[in-house]
Amino acid sequence: MDRGDDLSTRVDALMGGLVADLERLTAIPSVAFPGFPPEPVREAHDLLVDLLRGAGVEQVERLDLPDPAPVVVAEVPPPAPGAPIVLLHGHYDVQPPGDEALWLSPPFEPTPVEGGLRARGIADDKANIIVHLGVLRAFEGRPRSG
């Protein structure tokens, strides 16, 4: 089996867990907006930290700034000295859902739809965070060179 087939097999095996993690993350109403409770934002932060550590990331820190949600800073050592640095950015906080009567399903109840899931924050930006997590899991928390 070549490396591509091996990676494809690993990714296929990870998909169920990644979808479950996306459902867990999107079920948290992590609205970082005036007038909304801060506890769900901290809950989403803590879940993300746990997911990163579970994916093999050893260096995960919290950065508190005056206004935004707590920032998760995670660092993975390069595969070789002098390897390029890659910065991945995402956010786990979401905008308010607006008038919930306009939603086809409750905004913080991940709902299966044809081709995926529907929930507040899934496209901006929680699914992207899960993609980063999936890559880390596929490579056991360690990037590879060559």
Side-chain angles (χ1 to χ4, degrees), residues 95-110:
Q95 293 291 313
D99 182 356
E100 293 189 22
L102 299 175
W103 284 77
L104 298 175
S105 58
F108 296 104
E109 285 183 23

Side-chain angles (χ1 to χ4, degrees), residues 45 49 60-66 68-74 92:
H45 167 277
V49 167
V60 182
E61 299 176 13
R62 175 179 172 148
L63 176 62
D64 288 304
L65 299 172
V71 177
V72 177
V73 179
Y92 59 90

Side-chain angles (χ1 to χ4, degrees), residues 15-134:
M15 288 306 293
L18 292 167
V19 170
D21 290 334
L22 179 59
E23 290 174 341
R24 288 174 55 203
L25 189 58
T26 56
I28 300 171
S30 54
V31 179
F33 199 81
F36 287 83
E39 293 81 15
V41 175
R42 289 194 287 274
E43 180 184 355
H45 167 277
D46 294 346
L47 175 58
L48 180 54
V49 167
D50 289 346
L51 292 172
L52 287 166
R53 287 190 175 132
V57 180
E58 295 174 9
Q59 187 173 340
V60 182
E61 299 176 13
R62 175 179 172 148
L63 176 62
D64 288 304
L65 299 172
D67 288 325
V71 177
V72 177
V73 179
E75 187 173 330
V76 177
I85 294 174
V86 176
L87 175 66
L88 302 175
H89 171 268
H91 59 92
Y92 59 90
D93 62 323
V94 300
Q95 293 291 313
D99 182 356
E100 293 189 22
L102 299 175
W103 284 77
L104 298 175
S105 58
F108 296 104
E109 285 183 23
T111 304
V113 295
E114 187 176 338
L117 289 171
R118 176 180 41 242
R120 183 67 174 145
I122 212 162
D124 181 23
D125 199 42
K126 293 180 178 183
N128 297 338
I129 290 171
I130 298 299
V131 169
H132 300 162
L133 186 66

Side-chain angles (χ1 to χ4, degrees), residues 5-16:
D5 288 342
D6 184 44
L7 178 59
S8 180
T9 300
R10 283 195 313 250
V11 170
D12 285 346
L14 292 170
M15 288 306 293

